[in-house]
């Protein structure tokens, strides 16, 4: 087999004006025009009206390429496009090859007849918006939605492109994945797969299979060899003579593995990976394919209890406390991410003591690089199908297109053990319910309960869950919280105080969030001179009444700072306070609550949003707060509303623990520990255990701060965090003199020791685009904290720590 890449420079023509440009493949028209300076860049937050014209035009991509005699002589010659966005007609040397209509699919066209030595390939992409609006008119019924325009619902194109409540409208047009010519023998093997029919410490029995496309006139005898490798070591093999039929079919065999090593998620064991290789020999040709293989069982356990039913994701029989984030695409240009881009994000996620990422249904299916990293790191993936926040059509053609997409996605990515479950959609159950009142089946119901359910039923490696959230029943979304997974948006969405989190007892919080401004790095790039009322900042806020809500929540926690940077600092801290309260409440409820996934991980443009890492990759305080709250084992303090006593919990989701916890009361007026209590921290199994209480109603919110530490049985400190008795504005902080000393580590990393003369609240190095070992922590007087900054820093980087003590405030509110 050979493969000739057609990636690189292509010609690009505007279908209306005939104007010509240079294009990059993989890429997008908008990206090329931005790079050529013909469209505003993404920090111009008023860009939407200046770029919209692109989505209303047709665009013609073209390129020439040569094929050798040998290439032309191969038995099968195919043009492979891993992704086209979205509606295109293809022509090779003037011969029509076919069309594309789903940006999530890979397309193959037989070019045996059309190919010659000198070739010209033309890809005519129709205006996505005109095409989708045409479909909308044809469908007739009016479909409802949140975010974007109704036309988006009719296409298999990343839904967020039409604008979301955290991102600009940028309706991409392009060839966004690799293009190549492939020549091969009359057979091609692809998408190897495995099912686990038995898994014990002694033995794993696998049903292995591979798809073969045979361009053969008649059935032919073939020999299949399936091999399982553990690193370089062959550990199981089976050979099977089978008869190849013409066309695309799947062929199976059995494989047994002695003393199998299981794949475990982070914190529960080694994420052991095997490699499955398949060789198919037929008629003198030999072709092969391979995939990762992870031996693990995943199921959703839903035992009944007094409240309803728990929702526990079990891996290899272990109940896992799922801690993590919701993932939206990394950029406004879906599909262009590299392994390096993913590595940076996933390492940061794992570093924050998280073990699950939910790929949200309004975005894009990420690629193998993403899942390979999750496989290797032991990160669990909750994978939505790409439907979000709306009524979806259910005519036959649309259902068929979705079936093809799901078949492809499940076969292409299903071998990755990190994918813990497939989920039908994001937040569409409420649309199903609502439309059921006027039609027999709700909009989209057929997709999530028939089409996707059918396809996923064939995947034996993981469960299928019809929607997120979903509470196991039709005719009510009210039970959400007692059954199934829950998106809780009373805080922010319902503008209730974030303390309300403490009364939310969902079984698996797959979404909840609080907004904040991005770092001053971004604010200054967008508009250094403007007040927060500036138009360019307004445009960054896509959520209705966003600025009012931010002021409401921020003023609940803090005095109003005198300047913009001060406001951004406390506003970000408010987000961290809110998320922390919710997360620690849910984590301490394990197993009654077994998941907390923060909405949302990162930003794909300079937005004011729920992200915990901003568009410049500056980690917000929430990132560091979540890292502490998710630490395992952990000791967390929870104060039920109005209670005299705070409850101390040991979180031992990773299994039995025995150690010691200490609660100290620190008086910031005298800079001394004035009270302390020690607790035996013991817990059995995978859960959280209440290990004691601590009287907090007698404490003074202006001067007392609680420090909670957890020690292992040998006395080493595993964790320490601090809690306030009241709100941060109640603390009588004094001006702090922060002293920073810099040293270079052996690997060039910068090490800083920070000290303060008085208790300092939320000490941080702000605006650092990258990795800091810790940030936004409290320092007692005279105490030293050492933090490490990794990676290259911008030239203007200055280690200038700040803390809440020194933020100037206005004096009348
Ligand atoms: C959730 C998500 C998104 C949205 C977010 C913030 O419900 O599913 O659709 O961006 O809320 O509003």
């Amino acid at each position: 087999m050979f493969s000739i890449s057609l990636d690189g420079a292509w010609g690009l023509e505007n279908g209306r004006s005939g104007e010509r440009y240079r294009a990059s493949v993989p890429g997008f028209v908008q990206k090329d025009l931005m790079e050529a300076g013909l469209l505003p860049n993404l920090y111009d937050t008023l860009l939407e009206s200046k770029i919209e014209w692109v989505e209303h035009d047709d665009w013609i991509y073209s390129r020439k390429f040569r094929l050798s005699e040998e290439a032309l002589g191969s038995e099968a010659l195919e043009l492979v496009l891993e992704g086209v966005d979205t509606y295109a007609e293809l022509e090779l040397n003037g011969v029509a090859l076919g069309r594309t209509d789903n940006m999530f699919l890979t397309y193959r066209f037989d070019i045996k007849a059309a190919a010659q030595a000198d070739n010209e390939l033309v890809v005519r992409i129709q205006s996505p918006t005109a095409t989708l609006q045409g479909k909308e008119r044809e469908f007739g019924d009016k479909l409802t939605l949140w975010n974007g325009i109704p036309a988006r619902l009719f296409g298999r194109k990343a839904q967020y492109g039409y604008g979301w409540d955290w991102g600009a409208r940028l309706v991409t047009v392009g060839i966004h994945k690799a293009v190549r010519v492939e020549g091969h023998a009359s057979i091609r093997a692809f998408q190897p797969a495995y099912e686990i029919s038995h898994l014990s410490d002694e033995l794993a029995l696998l049903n292995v299979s591979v798809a073969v496309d045979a361009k053969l006139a008649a059935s032919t005898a073939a020999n299949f060899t399936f091999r399982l490798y553990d690193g370089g070591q062959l550990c199981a093999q089976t050979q099977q003579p089978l008869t190849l039929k013409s066309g695309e079919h799947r062929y199976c065999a059995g494989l047994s593995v002695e003393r199998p090593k299981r794949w475990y998620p982070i914190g529960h064991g080694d994420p052991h990976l095997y490699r499955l290789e398949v060789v198919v020999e037929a008629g003198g040709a030999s072709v092969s394919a391979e995939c990762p293989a992870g031996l693990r069982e995943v199921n959703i356990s839903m035992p009944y209890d007094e409240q309803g039913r728990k929702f526990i994701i079990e891996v290899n029989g272990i109940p896992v406390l799922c801690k993590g984030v919701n993932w939206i695409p990394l950029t406004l240009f879906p599909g262009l991410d590299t392994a390096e881009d993913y590595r940076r994000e996933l390492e940061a996620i794992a570093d924050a003591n998280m073990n699950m990422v939910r790929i949200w249904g309004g975005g894009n299916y990420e690629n193998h690089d993403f899942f390979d990293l999750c496989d290797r790191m032991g990160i669990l993936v909750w994978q939505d199908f790409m439907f979000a926040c709306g009524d979806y059509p259910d005519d036959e053609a649309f259902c068929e297109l979705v079936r093809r997409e799901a078949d492809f996605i499940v076969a292409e990515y299903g071998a990755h053990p990190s994918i813990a479950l497939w989920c039908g959609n994001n937040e569409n159950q409420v649309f199903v319910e609502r439309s059921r009142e006027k039609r027999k089946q709700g909009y989209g119901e057929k997709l999530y309960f028939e089409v996707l359910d059918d396809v996923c039923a064939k995947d034996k490696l993981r469960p299928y869950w019809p929607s997120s959230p979903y509470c196991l029943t039709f005719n009510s979304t009210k039970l959400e919280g007692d059954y199934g997974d829950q998106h809780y948006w009373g805080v922010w969405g319902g503008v209730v105080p974030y303390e309300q989190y403490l009364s939310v007892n969902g079984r698996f919080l797959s979404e909840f969030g609080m907004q904040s401004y991005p770092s001053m790095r971004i604010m200054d790039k967008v508009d250094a001179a403007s007040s927060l009322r500036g138009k360019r900042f307004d445009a960054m806020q896509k959520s209705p009444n966003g600025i009012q809500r931010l002021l409401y929540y921020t003023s609940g926690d803090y005095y109003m700072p005198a300047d913009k940077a001060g406001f951004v600092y406390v506003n970000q801290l408010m987000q961290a306070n809110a998320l922390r309260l919710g997360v620690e409440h849910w984590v301490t409820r394990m197993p009654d609550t077994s998941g907390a996934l923060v909405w949302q991980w990162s930003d794909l443009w300079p937005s004011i949003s729920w992200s915990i890492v901003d568009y410049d990759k500056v980690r917000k305080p929430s990132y560091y707060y979540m890292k502490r709250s998710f630490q395992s084992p952990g000791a967390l303090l929870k104060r039920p509303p109005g209670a005299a006593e705070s409850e101390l919990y040991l979180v031992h989701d990773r299994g039995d623990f025995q150690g010691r916890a200490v609660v100290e009361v620190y008086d910031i007026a005298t800079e001394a520990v004035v009270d302390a209590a020690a607790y035996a921290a013991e817990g059995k199994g995978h859960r959280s255990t209440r290990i004691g209480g601590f009287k907090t109603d007698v404490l003074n919110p202006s001067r007392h701060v609680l420090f909670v530490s957890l020690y292992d049985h040998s006395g080493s400190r595993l964790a320490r965090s601090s809690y306030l008795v009241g709100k941060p504005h109640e603390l009588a902080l004094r001006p702090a003199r922060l002293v920073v000393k810099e040293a270079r580590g052996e690997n060039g990393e910068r090490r800083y020791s920070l000290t303060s003369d008085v208790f300092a609240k939320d000490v941080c190095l702000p605006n650092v685009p990258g990795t800091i070992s810790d940030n936004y922590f409290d320092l007692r007087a005279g105490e030293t904290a050492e933090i490490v900054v990794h990676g290259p820093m911008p030239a203007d980087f200055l280690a200038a720590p700040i803390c809440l003590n020194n933020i100037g405030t206005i004096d009348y509110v």
Side-chain angles (χ1 to χ4, degrees):
M1 167 185 144
F2 71 87
S3 160
I4 300 167
S5 168
L6 299 185
D7 293 351
W10 285 51
L12 178 65
E13 189 187 317
N14 179 286
R16 178 176 42 85
S17 66
E19 221 162 312
R20 291 176 175 277
Y21 308 88
R22 282 174 64 85
S24 303
V25 171
F28 292 96
V29 172
Q30 288 94 337
K31 187 160 185 287
D32 290 322
L33 299 191
M34 280 179 186
E35 279 164 15
L38 301 169
L39 289 181
N41 75 47
L42 295 170
Y43 288 93
D44 176 350
T45 55
L46 299 173
L47 84 175
E48 285 170 310
S49 59
K50 302 172 206 159
I51 63 171
E52 195 187 312
W53 63 273
V54 176
E55 64 176 78
H56 298 295
D57 282 353
D58 295 346
W59 293 89
I60 302 141
Y61 277 77
S62 61
R63 75 159 281 166
K64 298 197 161 95
F65 62 94
R66 280 189 65 79
L67 287 175
S68 66
E69 276 300 301
E70 198 195 338
L72 288 167
S74 61
E75 283 179 69
L77 201 57
E78 291 182 319
L79 173 70
V80 183
L81 297 105
E82 289 188 0
V84 179
D85 181 15
T86 292
Y87 300 99
E89 281 172 6
L90 286 90
E91 242 174 49
L92 184 67
N93 306 323
V95 179
L97 296 179
R99 313 171 61 92
T100 66
D101 57 359
N102 185 332
M103 82 176 279
F104 306 125
L105 284 178
T106 288
Y107 286 86
R108 288 182 168 265
F109 298 99
D110 183 348
I111 56 166
K112 185 75 184 155
Q116 51 199 42
D118 289 302
N119 299 278
E120 181 167 29
L121 175 62
V122 178
V123 180
R124 279 175 224 283
I125 306 184
Q126 293 150 20
S127 150
T129 303
T131 310
L132 290 168
Q133 285 174 336
K135 289 176 189 291
E136 186 186 358
R137 276 194 298 275
E138 235 169 78
F139 191 77
D141 295 5
K142 211 172 153 37
L143 299 187
T144 61
L145 79 170
W146 304 315
N147 294 303
I149 58 171
R152 75 165 166 85
L153 303 162
F154 295 88
R156 299 312 298 144
K157 173 165 173 55
Q159 300 286 281
Y160 75 104
Y162 279 95
W164 218 264
D165 53 9
W166 33 255
R169 169 169 173 159
L170 194 160
V171 182
T172 48
V173 178
I175 302 176
H176 63 298
K177 292 196 178 179
V179 183
R180 61 181 178 272
V181 173
E182 255 183 39
H184 36 82
S186 48
I187 53 171
R188 182 174 65 87
F190 61 102
Q191 292 175 337
Y194 57 98
E195 288 172 7
I196 306 165
S197 57
H198 172 85
L199 183 58
S200 66
D201 290 349
E202 295 74 40
L203 189 69
L205 296 176
L206 309 184
N207 303 323
V208 286
S209 68
V210 68
V212 179
D213 180 11
K215 297 199 182 340
L216 299 166
S219 298
T220 306
N223 192 36
F224 284 74
T225 310
F226 291 89
R227 296 192 183 100
L228 193 74
Y229 289 94
D230 184 358
Q233 185 119 25
L234 180 67
C235 54
Q237 164 161 252
T238 193
Q239 289 207 333
Q240 182 98 22
L242 289 166
T243 305
L244 275 186
K245 288 176 284 177
S246 179
E248 270 189 36
H249 299 279
R250 190 162 275 278
Y251 300 86
C252 312
L255 206 60
S256 58
V257 194
E258 279 171 29
R259 286 182 301 285
K261 296 178 195 150
R262 291 176 202 236
W263 183 94
Y264 287 96
I266 292 186
H268 293 274
D270 193 22
H272 191 82
L273 277 184
Y274 292 91
R275 186 167 55 85
L276 174 66
E277 182 197 81
V278 193
V279 179
V280 186
E281 294 153 302
S286 168
V287 293
S288 65
E290 61 173 54
C291 68
L295 306 184
R296 92 285 179 276
E297 287 162 337
V298 181
N299 74 294
I300 304 174
S301 158
M302 291 186 278
Y304 286 92
D305 60 17
E306 284 142 34
Q307 188 192 331
R309 294 177 76 173
K310 298 189 217 303
F311 186 98
I312 305 172
I313 295 182
E314 288 185 350
V315 183
N316 297 324
I318 302 170
V320 177
L321 176 59
C322 297
K323 303 177 278 194
V325 280
N326 283 275
W327 175 282
I328 61 167
L330 290 182
T331 73
L332 282 163
F333 299 113
L336 301 187
D337 312 291
T338 63
E340 188 46 32
D341 297 330
Y342 288 135
R343 193 190 54 75
R344 188 189 56 220
E345 307 299 319
L346 291 168
E347 281 181 356
I349 286 170
D351 223 37
N353 298 312
M354 298 177 182
N355 59 7
M356 179 176 264
V357 173
R358 170 172 173 247
I359 308 284
W360 166 76
N364 183 33
Y365 302 98
E366 302 300 336
N367 61 39
H368 283 292
D369 288 331
F370 176 87
F371 297 111
D372 280 338
L373 283 158
C374 292
D375 289 349
R376 268 186 267 141
M377 296 169 75
I379 295 177
L380 294 168
V381 179
W382 171 308
Q383 178 68 54
D384 284 2
F385 284 98
M386 294 301 131
F387 302 90
C389 303
D391 290 323
Y392 278 85
D394 51 8
D395 56 277
E396 222 170 284
F398 193 77
C399 288
E400 194 37 45
L401 190 58
V402 170
R403 181 181 296 277
R404 264 208 293 147
E405 174 185 323
D407 274 335
F408 172 74
I409 294 296
V410 170
E412 184 67 21
Y413 299 111
H416 292 286
S418 52
I419 301 176
L421 59 91
W422 302 115
C423 170
N425 65 71
N426 172 75
E427 294 189 343
N428 288 355
Q429 191 60 21
V430 47
F431 289 89
V432 169
E433 297 295 343
R434 226 186 271 160
S435 48
R436 266 175 146 242
E437 288 164 14
K438 54 179 187 210
R439 336 160 79 215
K440 195 158 156 274
Q441 268 193 321
Y443 284 118
E445 186 177 330
K446 195 163 173 187
L447 298 173
Y448 323 128
F449 291 92
E450 292 173 29
V451 178
L452 296 176
D453 188 85
D454 257 19
V455 172
C456 294
K458 287 181 238 139
D459 179 356
K460 308 286 184 229
L461 284 181
R462 54 190 58 83
Y464 170 71
W465 186 247
S467 178
S468 181
Y470 180 61
C471 60
L472 286 161
T473 173
F474 274 106
N475 301 323
S476 172
T477 45
K478 294 197 191 73
L479 295 172
E480 195 188 311
D482 294 334
Y483 300 81
D485 68 320
Q486 179 179 24
H487 292 189
Y488 176 72
W489 283 105
V491 172
W492 184 263
V495 207
V496 299
Y498 67 72
E499 283 73 13
Q500 195 64 32
Y501 280 140
L502 293 173
S503 59
V504 174
N505 293 330
R507 323 320 301 265
F508 190 108
L509 276 294
S510 39
E511 275 188 23
F512 56 93
M514 174 55 80
Q515 275 206 358
S516 73
Y517 279 83
S519 62
M520 282 306 289
R521 232 184 112 74
I522 288 186
M523 299 295 283
D524 284 346
K525 276 195 207 172
V526 170
D527 194 341
S530 166
S531 81
L532 290 179
R533 292 280 177 193
K535 275 196 175 51
R536 291 179 180 276
F537 294 143
D538 268 357
M540 289 157 64
Q541 175 59 272
K542 299 287 188 188
S543 180
N545 310 320
I547 193 162
Q548 291 95 312
R549 297 189 206 197
L550 285 172
L551 282 165
Y552 162 73
Y553 284 111
T554 310
S555 63
D557 281 9
Y558 296 97
Y559 281 103
M560 285 293 101
D563 65 12
K564 195 162 64 178
F567 181 77
V568 168
Y569 171 74
V570 297
N571 167 252
Q572 292 194 337
L573 285 174
M574 174 282 296
Q575 179 197 28
N577 297 336
L579 294 179
R580 179 188 186 190
L581 192 77
V583 160
E584 295 194 355
H585 169 58
W586 296 313
V587 162
T588 53
R589 276 176 48 84
M590 191 202 179
D592 296 339
T593 298
S594 289
L597 308 180
V598 178
W599 183 271
Q600 73 204 57
W601 171 241
S602 62
D603 281 329
L604 45 63
W605 86 302
S607 26
I608 302 167
S609 82
W610 301 265
S611 75
I612 63 171
V613 176
D614 74 19
Y615 183 58
D616 272 8
K617 302 297 169 198
V618 180
R619 299 174 189 181
K620 296 180 178 177
S622 294
Y623 174 86
Y624 300 95
Y625 272 47
M626 292 299 91
K627 180 175 174 170
R628 280 172 222 134
S629 302
F630 282 143
Q631 165 145 355
S632 185
L636 302 175
L637 203 59
K638 182 153 94 179
R639 188 169 182 192
E645 221 182 52
S646 290
E647 301 176 331
L648 183 62
Y649 283 88
L650 172 71
V651 185
H652 50 101
D653 55 314
R654 293 178 176 186
D656 299 356
F657 181 84
Q658 210 169 7
R660 206 166 56 90
V662 173
V663 178
E664 292 168 301
V665 179
Y666 185 80
D667 183 348
I668 68 170
T670 59
E671 303 290 358
V673 172
V674 291
D675 193 10
Y679 303 79
E682 281 179 27
K684 286 234 170 293
H686 304 84
R687 53 175 300 137
S688 297
T689 304
R690 187 185 185 282
I691 55 171
F694 192 88
K695 229 174 136 37
T696 31
D697 63 338
V698 292
L699 300 178
N700 180 342
S702 72
R703 51 192 288 184
H704 291 141
V705 177
L706 293 148
F707 282 87
V708 176
S709 303
L710 182 68
Y711 299 86
D712 67 11
H713 61 277
S714 67
S716 306
R717 190 164 77 190
L718 304 176
R720 187 181 88 169
S721 50
S722 53
Y723 291 85
L724 299 186
V725 177
K727 287 282 194 182
H729 68 75
E730 293 178 82
L731 266 186
L733 293 169
R734 292 178 287 167
R737 204 169 69 83
L738 294 178
V739 178
V740 53
K741 285 204 191 105
E742 179 175 344
R744 282 302 166 116
E746 275 170 24
N747 304 318
E749 76 275 15
R750 298 161 197 251
R751 300 182 159 270
Y752 297 96
S753 16
L754 298 168
T755 45
S756 172
D757 57 340
V758 297
F759 172 82
K761 181 97 194 89
D762 288 300
V763 179
C764 71
L765 292 182
N767 303 319
V768 180
T771 308
I772 315 183
S773 58
D774 199 7
N775 218 1
Y776 298 93
F777 46 81
D778 298 345
L779 266 183
R780 300 183 193 184
E783 194 176 54
T784 302
E786 198 176 76
I787 60 176
V788 187
V789 178
H790 294 274
M793 283 298 121
D796 60 351
F797 175 68
L798 190 68
I802 60 171
C803 62
L804 185 62
N805 307 48
N806 299 346
I807 299 293
T809 56
I810 55 174
D811 59 5
Y812 57 87
V813 62

